Each structure stands twice: as structure tokens, then as C-alpha cells.
């Protein structure tokens, strides 16, 4: 069941979706109206088809387990999306809650979990304290890039703090703003199943000294069984954060300790209340 937070601001959708759609439905929709502007998350099935093949979801479970307190029984995921992490930890704790502003992604998450609770809310405008709850551990798996202004980051840090019990832990991963960030990068990723192939072409450019960036995507989706192809262009606006800016925001929110962990994988940010 999905609970809706009264004060949330959900992501805009370009149309009313008729219900769950497979990739053949995405192809059909794109071919029927190829020139309509699409939102980045308009087709959750396409998003999850791609992400599930390029993101190491088991590593995300390991990240949570690495930084959660020893006696963790209650876990909160901000920006849970279609629920890939929730599906892996559902039933492993006494309580699991996922929060996301996109109702279509939450519908996918609902089909993947049995005991987890889903909340439709903007995590810059919602904390568990609003509902009289606190958690032992909270995570945001890569969603910092959505917080494109300082006010949103500061608000989220406060919400994360309020959502945790004393001694509770927050963890996320991110790509920090640094001279190593490639401005004007171009990437091509191809993923496939027995039936479908999806190419994602991406061109990114940094648009401010504070780390704002714009990425233009072209998705090429091929249905091998029907020998059909469709293309979708869309634009995403995000932000790289300097590590010091994250530590400042979470310290100001009240967290007792903040840490940056760098290694072979993504940079990890960990804070403890």
C-alpha cells in the first residue's frame, strides 16, 4: 500500500498512464507520438530495465549493512524509486519504509515488496518525524544529484536527521565535484535481454561553478522479436556536490559525525546522529 503525504510535491508527468507498461508498450507509445517532449522518468519500465543492468544492487545492500548500527531493526530509504533495494531487504528488518515522489515508480515498487511500507512524498519536504516515527538507519542510493539548490540539500539534511533516532546512521554515495569531473563528456551504454536492446547515449556539460550539470539523453530501444525500434530524447538537470558542502549541511542539521569514504567504487558519505 502506498501512503500519500499531504504536503508532497510529486514529479510532473506528461500524461495519465493507463497502467503498467512493458517495453513493447513504451516502443508503441513513442512511435505513435514521436515528437512529444518526454520527462526523464516518464517510463519507469525503461528506467528500471536500464538501471537494473548497470547498477550493482547487491553492493547497495552491502553499503547499508556496512554503516547501519549493530542493532538496526528499522530502515528508511529516501528516493526508493522502483524499489530495487527495498525488494532485497524486505522482511530482513522489523520495519522497512521507502519514500519517493514519483507515483509511477512507487507502483513498480509496490509490486516488488510484500511487507515494506511506501510513502509518496518529496524527501526535501518530508521526515519520518512528521508521522511520529524514527529509524535506526536511513539511506539515499545516489539521489543527491536531484538536489540542485542549496536549500533543497539543507532541507533534506534536516529531514534525514529528524527521521533517525539518537545514534542512528545515514548513508549515501555520490560523485563529488572536483577537477576530475569531465565537462562535456559523452558516454554510450548498451544493455539487453533476450528480446530487447537499449542503447543510452549521454552528453553532459557542467553549467555552474557550484556543480550544476545538464545531461542530454538519447534512448534507442529495439524489440528484436518484432524487429521494431523507437527513440526517445530527454534532458536531465542534476548537481555534483563538493564533499565539504555535504559535511557542512549535515553538521548544521545536527549530525554528530560526518565522514567521507573514498575507495575503488563510488564516494560514500556517512553521518551519525
Amino acid at each position: 500500500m502506498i501512503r500519500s503525504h499531504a504536503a508532497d510535491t510529486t514529479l510532473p508527468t506528461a500524461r495519465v498512464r493507463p497502467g503498467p507498461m512493458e517495453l513493447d508498450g513504451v516502443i508503441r507509445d513513442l512511435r505513435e507520438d514521436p515528437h512529444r517532449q518526454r520527462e526523464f522518468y516518464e517510463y519507469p519500465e525503461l528506467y528500471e530495465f536500464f538501471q537494473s543492468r548497470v547498477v550493482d544492487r547487491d553492493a547497495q545492500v552491502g553499503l547499508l549493512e556496512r554503516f547501519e548500527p549493530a542493532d538496526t531493526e528499522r530502515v528508511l530509504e529516501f528516493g526508493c524509486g522502483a524499489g530495487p533495494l527495498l525488494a532485497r531487504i524486505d522482511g530482513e528488518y522489523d520495519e522497512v519504509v521507502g519514500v519517493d515522489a514519483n507515483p509511477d515508480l512507487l507502483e513498480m515498487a509496490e509490486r516488488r515488496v510484500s511487507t515494506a511500507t511506501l510513502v509518496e512524498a518529496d524527501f526535501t519536504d518530508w521526515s519520518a518525524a512528521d508521522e511520529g516515527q524514527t529509524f535506526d538507519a536511513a539511506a539515499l542510493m545516489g539521489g543527491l544529484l536531484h538536489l540542485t539548490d542549496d536549500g533543497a540539500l539543507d532541507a533534506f539534511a534536516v529531514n534525514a536527521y529528524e527521521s533517525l533516532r539518537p545514534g542512528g546512521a545515514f548513508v549515501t554515495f555520490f560523485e563529488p565535484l572536483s577537477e576530475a569531473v569531465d565537462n562535456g563528456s559523452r558516454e554510450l551504454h548498451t544493455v539487453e535481454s533476450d528480446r530487447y536492446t537499449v542503447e543510452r547515449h549521454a552528453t553532459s556539460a557542467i553549467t555552474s561553478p557550484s556543480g550544476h550539470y545538464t545531461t542530454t539523453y538519447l534512448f534507442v530501444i529495439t524489440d528484436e522479436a518484432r524487429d521494431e525500434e523507437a527513440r526517445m530524447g530527454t534532458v536531465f538537470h542534476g548537481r555534483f556536490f563538493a564533499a565539504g558542502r555535504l559535511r557542512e549541511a549535515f553538521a548544521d542539521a545536527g549530525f554528530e559525525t560526518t565522514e567521507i569514504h573514498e575507495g575503488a567504487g563510488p564516494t560514500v558519505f556517512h553521518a551519525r546522529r
Side-chain angles (χ1 to χ4, degrees), residues 77 90 155 238 264:
E77 184 186 7
D90 191 29

Side-chain angles (χ1 to χ4, degrees), residues 11-15 17 26 30 36-51 54-55 57 81 100 102 104-105 108 142-143 145-146 187 198-204 213-219 221 232-238:
L11 296 176
T13 54
R15 63 187 173 86
R17 288 169 55 84
V26 175
L30 288 168
R36 176 174 60 79
Q37 182 174 342
R38 263 76 176 185
E39 301 290 338
F40 181 75
Y41 292 107
E42 181 160 334
Y43 300 109
E45 298 81 7
L46 173 59
Y47 174 79
E48 184 59 18
F49 181 91
F50 186 87
Q51 292 295 103
V54 298
V55 176
R57 304 298 194 185
D100 204 279
N102 188 308
D104 295 331
L105 288 172
M108 290 191 72
L145 48 81
H146 293 282
E187 295 181 337
V198 175
E199 295 179 359
R200 191 187 74 176
H201 304 254
T203 302
S204 300
Y213 68 91
T214 297
T215 300
T216 301
Y217 290 105
L218 169 64
F219 288 89
I221 313 160
M232 182 187 82
T234 189
V235 176
F236 179 82
H237 301 284

Side-chain angles (χ1 to χ4, degrees), residues 86-139:
L86 297 181
R88 284 165 172 77
I89 65 174
D90 191 29
E92 298 296 319
Y93 301 89
D94 288 351
E95 184 172 8
V96 174
V97 174
V99 180
D100 204 279
N102 188 308
D104 295 331
L105 288 172
L106 284 177
E107 285 185 12
M108 290 191 72
E110 188 176 28
R111 299 195 295 270
R112 303 171 80 165
V113 300
S114 57
T115 63
T117 300
L118 303 173
V119 179
E120 182 184 336
D122 181 340
F123 58 63
T124 66
D125 187 50
W126 178 94
S127 80
D130 296 338
E131 302 181 8
Q133 295 179 295
T134 58
F135 289 80
D136 303 309

Side-chain angles (χ1 to χ4, degrees), residues 49-246:
F49 181 91
F50 186 87
Q51 292 295 103
S52 66
R53 289 164 172 80
V54 298
V55 176
D56 187 346
R57 304 298 194 185
D58 292 333
Q60 294 182 356
V61 175
L63 181 64
L64 174 63
E65 293 175 342
R66 175 184 172 189
F67 290 102
E68 67 185 18
D71 56 349
T72 293
E73 297 178 346
R74 307 181 71 226
V75 173
L76 169 65
E77 184 186 7
F78 294 104
C80 66
L85 175 63
L86 297 181
R88 284 165 172 77
I89 65 174
D90 191 29
E92 298 296 319
Y93 301 89
D94 288 351
E95 184 172 8
V96 174
V97 174
V99 180
D100 204 279
N102 188 308
D104 295 331
L105 288 172
L106 284 177
E107 285 185 12
M108 290 191 72
E110 188 176 28
R111 299 195 295 270
R112 303 171 80 165
V113 300
S114 57
T115 63
T117 300
L118 303 173
V119 179
E120 182 184 336
D122 181 340
F123 58 63
T124 66
D125 187 50
W126 178 94
S127 80
D130 296 338
E131 302 181 8
Q133 295 179 295
T134 58
F135 289 80
D136 303 309
L140 174 64
M141 294 301 178
L144 284 175
L145 48 81
H146 293 282
L147 306 180
T148 55
D149 66 77
D150 287 333
L153 175 63
D154 294 336
F156 172 64
V158 169
N159 291 339
Y161 177 84
E162 292 180 347
S163 296
L164 291 167
R165 62 157 172 87
F170 169 79
V171 66
T172 189
F173 61 87
F174 69 108
E175 183 174 356
L177 176 64
S178 69
E179 293 183 358
V181 174
D182 186 12
N183 192 8
S185 65
R186 295 183 178 182
E187 295 181 337
L188 168 62
H189 285 99
T190 302
V191 299
E192 58 187 7
S193 67
D194 291 341
R195 177 172 175 178
Y196 299 103
T197 301
V198 175
E199 295 179 359
R200 191 187 74 176
H201 304 254
T203 302
S204 300
I206 297 176
T207 57
S208 82
S210 299
H212 296 87
Y213 68 91
T214 297
T215 300
T216 301
Y217 290 105
L218 169 64
F219 288 89
V220 182
I221 313 160
T222 304
D223 183 341
E224 306 290 352
R226 296 184 176 179
D227 194 25
E228 292 182 341
E229 178 186 285
R231 299 183 173 220
M232 182 187 82
T234 189
V235 176
F236 179 82
H237 301 284
R239 184 178 180 182
F240 299 111
F241 280 101
R245 179 66 185 94
L246 290 184

